[in-house]
Amino acid sequence: MRKYTPKDNVQGKAYHTDRFWVAPSVPRTDASEDAHFAALLEKIKESIAVKDAYIQIGQMVVHINPEDNIAALRLVKEACDYAMCTEISAVDYLAQEGEFEVFYQMLNLKKAKRIRIVTRLKEGQAIESVVPLFNSANFAEREMYDMFGIVANNHPFMKRILMPDDWEGHPLLKTYPLQGDEAASWYEVDKIFGKEYREIIGAENRDPSKIDRYDTKRFSRVGYEVPFDADISEGEKETPIEYSETLLVNYNKSSKQLDERR
Amino acid sequence: MMQQPNKLVPFFENLNFERDDNTMVVNFGPQHPSAHGQLRLMLELEGEKVVKAYPDIGYLHRGIEKMAENMTYNEFLPTTDRLDYIASTANNYAYAHAVEKLLGIEAPRRAQAIRTMLLELNRIISHLFFIATHALDVGAMSVFLYAFREREFAMDLMEDYCGARLTHSSVRIGGVPLDLPEGWLAQMMTFLDKMEHELEHTYEALLTENRIWKMRLEDVGVIDAEDALSWGCTGPILRGAGVQYDVRKEEPYELYGELDFDIPVSDRNDAYGRYMLHVEEMRQSARIIRQVMPIYRKSEPQLMAHAPQYLSAPKEEIMTQNYALMQHFVLVTQGMRPPKGEVYAPTESPKGELGFYIKSEGEPYAYRLKCRAPSFYHTGILQKVLVGTYLADVVTMISSSNIVFGEVDR
């Protein structure tokens, strides 16, 4: 029996985990521990619903509702000097919670402080683009769309950025396969002839650079011509035709050999 | 842009046609010698003037972030070499720095000194490369040859340290793998003296006051502070717009907090100002390395942090002590498991702010790793800066932004 792999997360897994092992957590401290962050959080809370806020590894993380993203970013940009949005991306939690986590990494250049504004999106839910506030979102949101399929509404050019335009699927989803489909060479055969003809028809050739030495239909044999569609699996017959010397150069032999010159 | 070719509409790899509104679409790249890799730039031209620029990227996309989700933390480190391949140690360090912050460990002092020196040496290598290719793109061929001569010396130093010239992997999570080889510091001193001498008497003498150089660079590729902040530009582009922000100074890591160095700023906003910044930053890097040398000499010989839960013990201990061997076995076969949590750790790479966002779910694989690459955003701003400039200045702007496509496409 084939090993069961969950379809909602096909990524690499640890091959062994101790039964009693519990992952510790990075400590979170309250936002009130840092004067700057505390004041900032107060300001955000005045107008925006904050679901959770804490400091983790020197940066404040603020969880908000996805509808408030523009308002929150405008507030921290205009009132709190967070002039740069250095990164926008997402984390795939579809398997666990059916949600994406989208984060906006903000930088205050005057005080050298960073915060991360985090929001959760349901699958298929779009988020409002923040390009009117930060042009850096232009590329970042396109990448987020390309990698996760999260659409940013009112983005000036919501298209794929890294993958080709006609690509199927979004590579950073946990459901995205890590390898090609090994059964793919049978799909066309099954569709056209039916599964029972597999042995007769054989697997479809999906390698465009494949060369079959005995295939006299699709491949020519320069210098050793045989009739079209002849069976040469037993070795080809001698042909009385003489060929041009230029076609039959022996590349293994060097043209300048000392014994020949003598 | 995906084209659907048929007999009536053949496939044009290079779109180049007159349009009704008298503009012309020119496809610049993806194989263009001054596109610095695989940049495809679709330019709409009105005569010689660019009216619309559209950078098309992704030709070097290898899915490095996806690979990070399927590799243990130590396995992924050599992959970071392939981001900004001009200065790999900067990527290695940025990644190791983020993981160390997640683990809550700090490298020992000698490792910090070595890392700081390597980072600055990489900055010099990258900036030499910048000056070389920038001059080459603008048309000054000889500077390219001179700068590569010095870069060769610097690469030899890297090779002496880690054995590789381009893909260094010279940093480990928790420290550095090796101590500096015999005589490395003396060679480094020789290199710094030579580099500073050449900087003043060759590159600067050839370029800085050169009439053609100035005509080609001054008031070209103007990025003001507002644009730079809005488009997420960092590093020399941000400082070239008059904003004094350097992660080394503002959010110091490694030994930068205790070193004495200046952050050059230029308020010229143009390519010439950014060129001058790069030259000055190389001097500052040399200054930093000179200051770190005595710190290195005074430090204890320990190279890796002591964190048995996450890092293997030194080789002698592994070979002599059973418990260290067991730890090593588990760490190698299963990989380290950082605590649950997320971290974003910025560093100042030669190109700008290089940061890694890592989300850990307590597994040996990162749940999500996002590489915040400076060149990605510096490519984005091209669609703003190039509009209104002349076609001849497009190349100057691309080389002045110093983008590297390993980092843009990841």
Side-chain angles (χ1 to χ4, degrees):
Chain A
M1 213 172 102
R2 207 187 296 169
K3 205 182 105 197
Y4 174 73
T5 44
K7 296 288 174 288
D8 52 5
N9 186 352
V10 294
Q11 307 308 302
K13 300 266 183 343
Y15 82 95
H16 172 77
T17 302
D18 193 277
R19 264 198 297 171
F20 305 107
W21 187 76
V22 179
S25 289
V26 176
R28 294 175 177 182
T29 51
D30 200 63
S32 59
E33 305 230 330
D34 184 296
H36 171 79
F37 286 147
L40 174 66
L41 187 61
E42 280 307 306
K43 214 165 204 173
I44 296 173
K45 272 183 176 167
E46 279 171 20
S47 54
I48 287 146
V50 174
K51 292 204 279 194
D52 192 10
Y54 50 86
I55 300 174
Q56 197 171 37
I57 316 186
Q59 296 174 12
M60 184 164 73
V61 184
V62 184
H63 288 258
I64 58 164
N65 291 316
E67 307 84 70
D68 296 334
N69 70 333
I70 285 268
L73 262 65
R74 178 173 285 127
L75 179 77
V76 294
K77 182 191 179 187
E78 283 162 11
C80 313
D81 283 338
Y82 281 79
M84 200 189 269
C85 178
T86 57
E87 181 65 283
I88 300 171
S89 199
V91 187
D92 176 358
Y93 280 113
L94 293 180
Q96 295 92 329
E97 285 125 39
E99 286 177 333
F100 285 111
E101 191 175 287
V102 177
F103 66 88
Y104 299 87
Q105 185 71 42
M106 308 294 299
L107 166 64
N108 182 339
L109 293 108
K110 287 181 184 153
K111 301 223 168 67
K113 291 278 188 188
R114 287 171 196 271
I115 59 168
R116 187 158 50 247
I117 293 178
V118 180
T119 178
R120 290 267 182 152
L121 289 181
K122 290 264 173 269
E123 188 174 9
Q125 192 185 347
I127 195 160
E128 189 65 21
S129 166
V130 296
V131 173
L133 294 171
F134 299 100
N135 281 313
S136 59
N138 189 319
F139 262 32
E141 282 176 347
R142 277 179 69 189
E143 196 196 337
M144 184 167 82
Y145 165 68
D146 195 356
M147 294 293 139
F148 293 95
I150 302 171
V151 177
N153 282 338
N154 300 323
H155 185 281
F157 197 69
M158 189 84 270
K159 278 206 154 195
R160 286 190 180 271
I161 187 165
L162 295 176
M163 306 302 283
D165 278 5
D166 54 350
W167 195 261
E168 297 242 348
H170 299 280
L172 278 179
L173 292 178
K174 295 285 178 191
T175 47
Y176 192 82
L178 292 179
Q179 287 170 352
D181 190 345
E182 283 175 24
S185 58
W186 293 110
Y187 292 163
E188 287 296 295
V189 177
D190 290 357
K191 204 160 77 184
I192 298 168
F193 302 98
K195 251 187 179 169
E196 58 275 20
Y197 283 89
R198 274 192 180 187
E199 264 181 47
I200 302 164
I201 305 297
E204 181 199 349
N205 171 32
R206 291 168 59 82
D207 176 8
S209 60
K210 191 185 174 191
I211 294 171
D212 186 355
R213 189 178 176 280
Y214 300 107
D215 185 352
T216 52
K217 258 186 191 169
R218 297 183 195 81
F219 298 93
S220 68
R221 299 168 57 76
V222 179
Y224 298 98
E225 273 83 352
V226 288
F228 180 77
D229 202 15
D231 180 19
I232 53 160
S233 52
E234 308 289 314
E236 61 261 29
K237 279 185 212 141
E238 289 284 320
T239 42
I241 312 161
E242 281 180 18
Y243 296 99
S244 151
E245 279 294 308
T246 51
L247 277 175
L248 298 171
V249 180
N250 184 0
Y251 291 103
N252 296 323
K253 208 173 78 181
S254 157
S255 57
K256 278 182 191 169
Q257 278 186 346
L258 206 58
D259 52 314
E260 276 186 24
R261 261 197 281 159
R262 277 180 199 148
Chain B
M1 296 279 128
M2 185 62 190
Q3 295 181 49
Q4 298 295 345
N6 57 41
K7 274 186 182 166
L8 296 172
V9 188
F11 192 97
F12 285 114
E13 189 55 52
N14 280 306
L15 297 165
N16 187 347
F17 46 83
E18 298 277 343
R19 301 183 356 152
D20 296 343
D21 50 0
N22 213 18
T23 61
M24 180 196 251
V25 177
V26 169
N27 202 19
F28 181 99
Q31 300 293 346
H32 189 278
S34 51
H36 284 226
Q38 320 303 95
L39 169 66
R40 181 180 179 204
L41 201 57
M42 272 170 275
L43 301 168
E44 203 177 308
L45 299 179
E46 210 173 72
E48 288 264 308
K49 207 165 216 173
V50 180
V51 289
K52 205 170 180 188
Y54 167 68
D56 184 15
I57 59 173
Y59 289 89
L60 204 60
H61 179 61
R62 295 147 294 173
I64 282 185
E65 284 166 15
K66 186 73 175 176
M67 287 159 83
E69 291 177 11
N70 292 288
M71 284 171 157
T72 61
Y73 286 86
N74 279 320
E75 267 179 330
F76 180 63
L77 197 125
T79 316
T80 57
D81 285 336
R82 279 81 181 164
L83 289 168
D84 170 8
Y85 41 77
I86 304 298
S88 333
T89 303
N91 312 320
N92 300 153
Y93 175 70
Y95 173 66
H97 178 55
V99 180
E100 280 163 20
K101 275 203 156 185
L102 192 61
L103 301 177
I105 57 175
E106 198 177 316
R109 200 160 166 78
R110 172 157 289 195
Q112 287 188 338
I114 294 174
R115 283 170 168 202
T116 312
M117 272 193 275
L118 292 179
L119 285 175
E120 291 310 312
L121 180 61
N122 268 267
R123 194 178 307 277
I124 292 173
I125 291 176
S126 172
H127 283 11
L128 279 171
F129 188 88
F130 165 78
I131 290 176
T133 52
H134 193 20
L136 186 69
D137 287 344
V138 172
M141 180 90 186
S142 47
V143 181
F144 169 76
L145 299 170
Y146 291 127
F148 263 54
R149 184 185 60 193
E150 264 64 66
R151 185 165 170 270
E152 194 65 22
F153 200 149
M155 305 248 284
D156 285 348
L157 281 171
M158 277 315 296
E159 194 182 351
D160 282 352
Y161 176 66
C162 63
R165 292 162 60 80
L166 217 56
T167 49
H168 303 147
S169 304
S170 54
V171 170
R172 295 285 181 275
I173 296 165
V176 290
L178 303 156
D179 208 342
L180 296 179
E182 197 74 26
W184 197 82
L185 287 180
Q187 280 186 326
M188 176 64 114
M189 278 307 252
T190 322
F191 165 68
L192 291 181
D193 291 341
K194 173 133 174 68
M195 195 270 297
E196 282 183 324
H197 179 266
E198 293 291 334
L199 200 56
E200 192 182 340
H201 293 97
T202 310
Y203 320 138
E204 282 227 89
L206 277 169
L207 294 176
T208 305
E209 291 305 320
N210 186 321
R211 196 154 53 94
I212 307 168
W213 182 251
K214 279 187 130 175
M215 280 163 75
R216 288 298 305 275
L217 261 65
E218 276 179 345
D219 298 323
V220 169
V222 178
I223 301 175
D224 58 19
E226 196 189 322
D227 274 347
L229 290 172
S230 174
W231 286 89
C233 294
T234 46
I237 295 191
L238 185 63
R239 292 193 287 275
V243 181
Q244 189 165 26
Y245 197 85
D246 189 313
V247 182
R248 292 179 292 170
K249 203 78 169 176
E250 308 291 335
E251 298 156 80
Y253 49 93
E254 297 307 300
L255 296 176
Y256 289 118
E258 49 192 278
L259 299 173
D260 177 31
F261 62 102
D262 298 328
I263 302 301
V265 194
S266 159
D267 51 7
R268 294 186 56 107
N269 298 353
D270 61 358
Y272 188 74
R274 291 195 284 273
Y275 153 72
M276 293 296 280
L277 271 183
H278 280 86
V279 171
E280 189 52 38
E281 277 189 15
M282 283 164 71
R283 294 214 173 87
Q284 295 299 330
S285 292
R287 196 173 148 197
I288 291 172
I289 297 176
R290 288 211 168 89
Q291 286 175 48
V292 177
M293 282 180 188
I295 299 180
Y296 167 80
R297 290 205 184 87
K298 269 185 268 170
S299 60
E300 297 287 314
Q302 195 194 349
L303 290 175
M304 291 288 280
H306 178 73
Q309 203 186 344
Y310 305 121
L311 307 173
S312 294
K315 193 84 177 171
E316 311 87 81
E317 270 178 48
I318 292 175
M319 299 313 248
T320 52
Q321 292 175 26
N322 196 16
Y323 195 76
L325 179 66
M326 285 156 65
Q327 284 280 13
H328 179 64
F329 181 78
V330 170
L331 285 172
V332 168
T333 53
Q334 296 180 19
M336 67 169 84
R337 292 167 197 259
K340 277 185 193 177
E342 54 184 1
V343 65
Y344 175 77
T347 61
E348 187 76 22
S349 93
K351 310 279 185 298
E353 181 190 313
L354 174 66
F356 278 88
Y357 167 87
I358 299 176
K359 179 113 192 174
S360 161
E361 289 287 319
E363 293 286 309
Y365 304 103
Y367 192 77
R368 170 89 170 101
L369 181 140
K370 180 80 183 77
C371 168
R372 193 268 178 213
S375 297
F376 183 73
Y377 294 94
H378 296 169
T379 316
I381 198 174
L382 287 180
Q383 56 192 302
K384 167 77 172 47
V385 195
L386 294 181
V387 175
T389 62
Y390 288 98
L391 183 59
D393 295 336
V394 168
V395 171
T396 314
M397 181 52 218
I398 294 171
S399 58
S400 169
S401 63
N402 199 9
I403 45 183
V404 166
F405 273 79
E407 199 176 58
V408 176
D409 296 339
R410 279 155 290 151

